[in-house]
Amino acid sequence: MARLDLQKRLAILSDAAKYDASCASSGSSKRDSRDGKGLGSNEGTGICHAYAPDGRCISLLKILMTNFCIYDCAYCINRVSSNVARARFSVEEVVRLTVEFYRRNYIEGLFLSSGIIRSPDETMGQMVEIARRLREVENFRGYIHLKTIPDADPALIEAAGRLADRLSINVELPTDASVKAYAPEKDPRTIRKAMADVRLKKEAARERSHTGRRAPRFAPAGQSTQMIVGADGATDTAILGNATRLYASYGLKRVYYSAFSPIPDATAKLPLVRPPLEREHRLYQADWLLRFYGFDLDEIAGTAPGGNLDLDIDPKLAWALRNRHLFPLDVNRAARELLLRVPGFGVKTVTRILTTRRHRTLRYDDLTRMGAGMKKARAFVTLGGWTPGALTDSADLRARFAPPPEQLALF
Ligand code: SF4
């Protein structure tokens, strides 16, 4: 087979990496300007964004080492039975690309994933070698995120954790049954064991010896995982329930929800058509409510009759509309945990409210200045200069937020 030039391989292997949803921008609505209207795009491939341990947003070269793969996961474009253009980088090429992009100031780090070539150990060994050369030969201090192969030798995963800032191990699908059905070479128990090992090693790295020496660093930016949404029949509440268990069991920084993109010759094997990207977006919003806004899974499930989130309105608004008896809240008196439940109020807004109201009484205009989303919030709050009156209980409140119904095509 003729060898493609580096540019072509970069195009193939950066495009193939877009299915790894490990970016800070994942979950955002897709915007593109390749039609000539507008400027910029948030879904191009090659460079993605992530948060460094110190909170900075950094750009990463996001590529696969290769999209050849000996496995046959039904939901994956790179599976062995897929008819896609294949390419492969050598260890030296990935190191050189990373260093050159870094020197030109295009990137601040590397996100590296790979299909499985020959064996999990061989593939993981090459990925570790890339990270090792970057750190030890090139003295690369930038961010490295390695997508880890759970079947690989634990010693290789340990070596990856010593070199990388973040490791991720994909759980792949929301249930063990789906993994068995659609990723027959993968074993959910092996995946969980690898995630548990990473957690233990990360915790051990925080310890000091009796002489006060620190243990060697291990994945300081933690571990994350990815679940593909819509390739099986799992409901949103089942997906969020699984994510909640994963956060609790493995100390994950993030669960990424990745909307399944149907692959023409694979869809026949899979039970569902592509879920809308809105589903992925609503799952991220619900995940956020569970982690940072004090909601529990039952409360989110209460907004999802049939197990699936309302795609027309966000889950916090859906919850507030079902719990109108708790509103309107007096912004000048309500407790933090209740203010966090007001649609349109984010964590920062609530912090500003609490700080400001120590000194003076808040008025409606103050909330606007603080960045509160008053279009949503005003039906649920009362404060100086504003009372919602009958708005909170009005029958058409949901309709004010939901998109208008579309006329269905007759033919
Ligand atoms: S192992 Fe990874 S790259 Fe290979 S088919 Fe499965 S999901 Fe795709």
Side-chain angles (χ1 to χ4, degrees):
M1 192 176 70
R3 191 169 164 82
L4 299 170
D5 69 31
L6 190 69
Q7 194 77 34
K8 285 203 183 109
R9 282 182 287 139
L10 183 58
I12 291 171
L13 293 171
S14 60
D15 186 64
K18 71 186 177 195
Y19 300 101
D20 277 306
S22 297
C23 299
S25 49
S26 301
S28 168
S29 54
K30 308 289 189 256
R31 292 183 302 274
D32 194 355
S33 61
R34 276 171 290 188
D35 58 0
K37 295 177 199 153
L39 184 69
S41 161
N42 71 346
E43 59 172 329
T45 54
I47 308 255
C48 76
H49 297 92
Y51 288 103
D54 62 5
R56 280 179 314 126
C57 182
I58 53 175
S59 35
L60 307 177
L61 172 63
K62 182 180 177 189
I63 49 173
L64 298 191
M65 189 171 74
T66 177
N67 65 342
F68 285 99
C69 190
I70 56 173
Y71 285 12
D72 201 27
C73 307
Y75 48 83
C76 177
I77 189 113
N78 299 321
R79 70 197 184 281
V80 67
S81 59
S82 169
N83 185 24
V84 288
R86 305 280 179 173
R88 180 175 172 181
F89 286 133
S90 66
V91 168
E92 293 75 15
E93 284 169 334
V94 177
V95 171
R96 201 173 71 222
L97 276 172
T98 308
V99 170
E100 284 179 8
F101 277 36
Y102 190 79
R103 288 206 176 114
R104 286 180 205 163
N105 232 1
Y106 295 164
I107 56 157
E108 291 155 288
L110 170 69
F111 172 98
L112 184 65
S113 182
S114 184
I116 297 173
I117 29 170
R118 285 198 276 275
S119 74
D121 281 356
E122 177 155 352
T123 312
M124 197 69 231
Q126 291 190 18
M127 292 171 78
V128 168
E129 180 58 12
I130 289 169
R132 190 195 68 75
R133 286 200 204 178
L134 280 170
R135 292 285 192 234
E136 295 176 5
V137 179
E138 304 294 338
N139 203 16
F140 180 72
R141 306 281 175 93
Y143 183 90
I144 299 179
H145 179 157
L146 292 181
K147 184 67 63 124
T148 310
I149 300 166
D151 307 325
D153 184 334
L156 287 169
I157 299 179
E158 172 151 16
R162 301 261 173 254
L163 296 160
D165 294 277
R166 175 170 285 187
L167 297 182
S168 51
I169 299 169
N170 287 353
V171 292
E172 307 292 351
L173 293 161
T175 65
D176 285 5
S178 310
V179 175
K180 280 184 192 140
Y182 302 120
E185 291 99 345
K186 296 189 176 174
D187 183 343
R189 287 167 305 182
T190 310
I191 295 170
R192 284 194 288 269
K193 171 155 187 334
M195 291 170 79
D197 285 350
V198 168
R199 179 182 196 163
L200 287 175
K201 292 198 172 83
K202 180 152 175 49
E203 285 171 359
R206 288 198 205 108
E207 306 288 327
R208 284 178 187 270
S209 73
H210 66 282
T211 59
R213 283 186 58 176
R214 291 193 81 95
R217 64 172 234 158
F218 188 89
Q223 65 168 325
S224 56
T225 193
Q226 174 176 324
M227 234 190 289
I228 293 166
V229 173
D232 65 354
T235 61
D236 290 343
T237 48
I239 290 165
L240 290 167
N242 192 17
T244 305
R245 286 189 292 279
L246 291 168
Y247 280 119
S249 304
Y250 306 111
L252 296 179
K253 286 286 176 199
R254 185 98 190 245
V255 174
Y256 291 94
Y257 307 96
S258 178
F260 168 63
S261 302
I263 305 152
D265 57 341
T267 42
K269 293 186 191 171
L270 298 166
L272 288 186
V273 294
R274 180 183 191 181
L277 284 168
E278 284 84 352
R279 185 176 179 200
E280 178 190 298
H281 183 53
R282 296 293 180 222
L283 282 166
Y284 277 115
Q285 290 177 319
D287 178 290
W288 212 252
L289 294 182
L290 291 167
R291 288 193 295 146
F292 303 115
Y293 285 77
F295 283 79
D296 66 34
L297 193 58
D298 287 343
E299 288 176 308
I300 301 293
T303 71
N308 285 317
L309 297 167
D310 190 330
L311 292 184
D312 289 339
I313 54 174
D314 70 74
K316 196 202 235 188
L317 179 58
W319 179 86
L321 288 169
R322 283 173 174 265
N323 291 278
R324 296 190 208 196
H325 59 284
L326 300 174
F327 299 102
L329 284 185
D330 182 345
V331 173
N332 282 298
R333 301 169 74 92
R336 179 177 187 275
E337 52 272 25
L338 288 175
L339 289 172
L340 283 172
R341 289 173 176 248
V342 174
F345 283 10
V347 173
K348 277 190 191 156
T349 303
V350 170
T351 304
R352 284 182 191 135
I353 288 170
L354 295 175
T355 308
T356 310
R357 80 184 190 187
R358 278 192 217 125
H359 312 292
R360 62 183 174 83
T361 303
L362 285 160
R363 300 186 61 79
Y364 188 94
D365 290 348
D366 293 320
L367 293 184
T368 312
R369 275 195 291 275
M370 285 174 185
M374 293 311 292
K375 197 168 163 236
K376 281 184 191 166
R378 64 186 175 174
F380 301 99
V381 294
T382 175
L383 75 168
W386 172 255
T387 174
L391 185 58
T392 314
D393 292 316
S394 66
D396 70 340
L397 188 54
R398 184 184 184 283
R400 290 173 188 238
F401 302 111
E406 281 180 24
Q407 171 69 56
L408 294 175
L410 294 175
F411 302 100

